[in-house]
Amino acid sequence: MFGKQMVDGGVIDHHTLEEQKCQLNYELNSSGKYFAFKEQLKHAVVKIVREKYLRTTAFNNLEQLQAFLSELYVYLVDQMHVALNQSTVVASPTFTSCEQLRLFAHEAEVNEDYALASVYYQERLARDRQIVQHWLDYGAFCLLMEENIKAQECFREALSLNPSHLHSLLLCGIIAVMMEHYEEAEIFFEDATCLEPSSILSWTLLGLFYEIQENDIRVEMAFHEANKLLKARLAKEKNIAEAAEGGGKKLHTLSATVLRTAPDGSPKVQPDSVEPVVTIQLPEDDPAVKLTKKLSPTLSKNKETSQKVHGEHSGCLSQRRLHVIPFLHAGSRTGVGMFMAGVSFVTMPVCGFLFQFVHRALAHELLCQQEGPSCEYYLVLAQTHLLKKDFSKAEECLREAIQIDYLNPNAWAQKGHLCYLSGNLSEAKECYERTISFVTDASEIHFVYLRLGSIYLKEKEYDKAKRTYMLACKKSSSCLTWLGVGIACYRLKEIAEAEDALSEANALNNNNAEVWAYLALVCMQGGRQLEAEQSYKYAMKLELKNEELLQEIHEVQRMVGFGNPSF
């Protein structure tokens, strides 16, 4: 309220300070912020009473109550003075970094716990509102929730922090298209190409935007520029590769692999330098082939690929706009095409209207692949079907992807996710086990570990569950990874290790009901009734929904002889 006066550096007299104090009190009371802050403090005090003084029951008489209140008041005042007397503003120590919060938010998204995901994204912003990526991630989440206005605010806030940030410009353009503000969108996309004229991504998205607008001339111009940049990049990569080989044979770096044996006897794979021969192409009656037969005759040679998989996407291009295709054939299996780069960017916040961008980019990618659709093409196509819960089409795409590149860890990971989501846990387990056998990790390996570990727990393979969750903790620890370790250790009767793991989980997120429930079980096994009671109460306060776990707590409570009625 009075920040400007403080910044000006002028001396403020006593009368002015009193006026400001009155204005502040009025604002706090009239806005409800005073009451809200008081309620927030109330919860903090209750937590201190329970955790520091271990008080969870009522007092027997008034004298005990008064004595306790006096002791508590002295403690709270002392702590208040400690905070107020700090000479410098120092951020309070936290158990989690901003990167961990991003991981936790993504975990919550995947588990469809969107309320929790929102909390984590907002916590990142509260930590530091000056970081562009925090705003972009929260904006992408708002897009997923179809909160377009809020997403627009986030992207514009990111752009205001750094007007030269390319992705902020592009996302502002995309959200403008979604809201049908086409003039604004054009400005953002044009600014992006001016800011970084060498960006293939910017020119590709600009071309896709003009294609939506049916502006044929500018579509051709934008795609021509993107294609020119892509050719230059591929030529440079080729020269570097040849130089590395001493001017010898051309490098092939995509997906061919060879097997080797790991120390534990499990099969592992590692990259090799020989590319597999792929002959999968489109049938002659496919719409894309009919429209581009003269431009890309190799597409019509093979009749075995299913029209059902490709047809709806290749049909996104109208006949009268196909004159731009001659400029789009620089993409090959030796590098990522410009349209796949566009797809990868747009699918970050994919939802609703954004599928229009995705499908157009995939249609172009399909047409400019001289050797037929790539594995990456099918993986992205499968991802769009998974997002729409269209499991049958996703399965078809993944079948094609695996046929093209049998040893691609991302293909097996996505197939595992498909089986997991459709309830086929046995096949999901096989796919996940194959995925983690590769030397190169899948891009979403964290969720492979989480889901594989959960399958092991359901099938009572607790040793395997423990190892899998420990691998996840080593890669990227979270409350869920440590909870998995804790559950597995508890089932293996490793009570001390279980408590350590659950304590780690609780430090990362003390609002997980299952963590408190298992802590209650661990404490009961150790004969610590008071701690078990507190943990149980927290689990119930957080609305524990696992009925089997709740029943187990009651059974263990009867076995160990705890008779407290609060259980």
Side-chain angles (χ1 to χ4, degrees), residues 54-56 523 527-535 562 567:
L54 302 178
R55 294 294 311 191
T56 59
C523 291
R528 291 139 54 192
Q529 181 174 357
L530 181 60
E531 293 175 63
E533 180 184 345
Q534 286 183 313
S535 297
F562 289 173
F567 276 93

Side-chain angles (χ1 to χ4, degrees), residues 20-236:
Q20 289 182 351
K21 181 179 178 180
C22 291
Q23 292 177 42
L24 176 61
N25 285 333
Y26 175 78
E27 176 65 24
L28 289 173
N29 282 284
S30 61
S31 65
K33 291 178 181 176
Y34 174 78
F35 177 77
F37 187 58
K38 183 179 177 182
E39 288 298 307
Q40 184 180 351
L41 282 178
K42 188 185 297 184
H43 290 297
V45 173
V46 169
K47 189 174 181 181
I48 289 171
V49 171
R50 288 178 174 173
E51 297 182 0
K52 177 175 174 60
Y53 293 97
L54 302 178
R55 294 294 311 191
T56 59
T57 58
F59 292 91
N60 295 328
N61 55 60
L62 188 60
E63 289 182 0
Q64 281 187 347
L65 174 61
Q66 290 297 332
F68 173 75
L69 289 177
S70 297
E71 182 183 358
L72 177 62
Y73 179 77
V74 171
Y75 173 77
L76 293 175
V77 170
D78 286 344
Q79 292 302 308
M80 179 186 71
H81 285 300
V82 169
L84 291 175
N85 290 333
Q86 290 179 348
S87 58
T88 58
V89 178
V90 180
S92 60
T94 56
F95 291 104
T96 54
S97 66
C98 288
E99 281 306 307
Q100 283 180 305
L101 289 174
R102 173 67 185 89
L103 172 65
F104 302 163
H106 192 29
E107 274 185 346
E109 277 184 52
V110 171
N111 294 329
E112 297 186 356
D113 189 348
Y114 299 119
L116 181 60
S118 179
V119 168
Y120 283 129
Y121 282 122
Q122 291 180 52
E123 173 64 19
R124 288 178 84 212
L125 286 173
R127 295 270 185 95
D128 194 340
R129 300 175 67 87
Q130 303 302 310
I131 296 181
V132 170
Q133 196 58 45
H134 291 183
W135 288 102
L136 295 184
D137 289 339
Y138 186 45
F141 172 74
C142 292
L143 274 185
L144 186 66
M145 295 292 97
E146 298 183 354
E147 298 176 352
N148 293 344
I149 294 178
K150 190 179 289 187
Q152 182 186 47
E153 292 173 357
C154 291
F155 296 150
R156 292 194 173 187
E157 184 67 29
L159 192 59
S160 69
L161 291 174
N162 183 1
S164 299
H165 193 263
L166 181 65
H167 285 186
S168 298
L169 276 169
L170 294 175
L171 286 169
C172 283
I174 288 171
I175 192 66
V177 173
M178 291 179 66
M179 301 176 74
E180 298 183 1
H181 299 162
Y182 297 116
E183 292 184 1
E184 283 185 21
E186 184 175 10
I187 291 171
F188 284 124
F189 288 131
E190 289 281 5
D191 283 352
T193 58
C194 292
L195 176 68
E196 288 193 27
S198 61
S199 169
I200 299 172
L201 175 62
S202 299
W203 287 106
T204 302
L205 290 180
L206 179 63
L208 292 173
F209 165 72
Y210 282 136
E211 187 176 76
I212 293 172
Q213 294 289 290
E214 299 187 358
N215 190 331
D216 297 349
I217 295 175
R218 294 197 174 186
V219 170
E220 185 172 342
M221 176 273 297
F223 286 162
H224 177 81
E225 187 65 29
N227 189 64
K228 183 176 71 174
L229 292 168
L230 178 61
K231 283 182 176 179
R233 191 187 73 183
L234 292 175
K236 184 178 179 181

Side-chain angles (χ1 to χ4, degrees), residues 398-560:
L398 291 173
R399 190 185 303 119
E400 296 289 346
I402 291 171
Q403 188 174 352
I404 292 172
D405 189 354
Y406 187 77
L407 297 173
N408 187 315
N410 287 320
W412 287 104
Q414 277 205 40
K415 185 177 180 183
H417 294 329
L418 171 65
C419 296
Y420 185 90
L421 293 172
S422 57
N424 188 350
L425 297 186
S426 60
E427 190 171 351
K429 182 172 75 170
E430 292 178 7
C431 293
Y432 287 147
E433 287 175 339
R434 185 184 295 272
T435 301
I436 65 175
S437 72
F438 291 97
V439 170
T440 304
D441 285 338
S443 58
E444 294 281 328
I445 192 67
H446 181 79
F447 299 100
V448 172
Y449 286 135
L450 282 180
R451 287 175 169 173
L452 179 58
S454 71
I455 294 171
Y456 285 142
L457 288 178
K458 287 178 182 177
E459 297 183 352
K460 298 183 179 181
E461 298 182 71
Y462 299 125
D463 281 315
K464 289 183 178 180
K466 179 183 175 181
R467 286 197 299 271
T468 302
Y469 279 119
M470 285 300 296
L471 285 172
C473 290
K474 185 177 179 181
K475 289 280 185 181
S476 48
S477 62
S478 70
C479 173
L480 298 183
T481 60
W482 283 114
L483 173 60
V485 175
I487 295 173
C489 290
Y490 178 78
R491 300 302 178 198
L492 292 167
K493 309 299 183 184
E494 299 170 354
I495 304 302
E497 288 186 37
E499 184 171 5
D500 288 342
L502 292 169
S503 298
E504 289 287 343
N506 204 24
L508 293 171
N509 178 12
N510 62 2
N511 289 313
N512 187 300
E514 284 202 19
V515 173
W516 286 110
Y518 276 100
L519 279 171
L521 287 170
V522 167
C523 291
M524 281 192 283
Q525 295 286 3
R528 291 139 54 192
Q529 181 174 357
L530 181 60
E531 293 175 63
E533 180 184 345
Q534 286 183 313
S535 297
Y536 174 80
K537 285 183 175 180
Y538 273 118
M540 298 310 296
K541 181 182 177 182
L542 294 167
E543 300 178 357
L544 178 66
K545 295 180 174 64
N546 190 329
E547 292 295 333
E548 292 183 4
L549 182 56
L550 188 59
Q551 185 178 354
E552 182 179 1
I553 291 175
H554 292 155
E555 290 175 357
V556 172
Q557 178 249 333
R558 286 192 293 271
M559 285 171 52
V560 299

